[in-house]
Amino acid sequence: MSTEIKAPMTGKIISIVVNVGDQVKEEDEVVIMDAMKMEIPVQAPADGSVMEIKIKEGDSVKTDQVLIVLE
């Protein structure tokens, strides 16, 4: 079963910390966003393997947009 990591708010992607195939643990930082002139770390909600990265650095994203899919 896959797990989607979604944007917590509207913002811009500053950095993607993981690559496809990486193993992540719950609460690992996977993406850093810029929102309201603050850096917002986005964490994995569960353990898993990065199956798909749906964004790239510099992208603007909306609240609840899927950023990464874990398997």
Side-chain angles (χ1 to χ4, degrees), residues 15-29:
S15 177
I16 301 169
V17 183
V18 295
N19 295 299
V20 172
D22 287 357
Q23 294 291 321
V24 296
K25 299 279 187 200
E26 185 175 356
E27 296 187 7
D28 279 356
E29 201 169 276

Side-chain angles (χ1 to χ4, degrees), residues 16-66:
I16 301 169
V17 183
V18 295
N19 295 299
V20 172
D22 287 357
Q23 294 291 321
V24 296
K25 299 279 187 200
E26 185 175 356
E27 296 187 7
D28 279 356
E29 201 169 276
V30 294
V31 172
I32 300 172
M33 293 178 56
D34 176 61
M36 300 184 306
K37 299 189 181 190
M38 294 176 20
E39 286 190 6
I40 309 293
V42 180
Q43 299 174 326
D47 295 355
S49 176
V50 178
M51 187 170 74
E52 186 178 1
I53 299 174
K54 295 183 165 274
I55 40 90
K56 60 185 181 302
E57 290 179 10
D59 282 359
S60 292
V61 296
K62 297 183 189 287
T63 303
D64 289 332
Q65 180 175 334
V66 177

Side-chain angles (χ1 to χ4, degrees), residues 13 43 71:
I13 303 301
Q43 299 174 326
E71 186 171 76

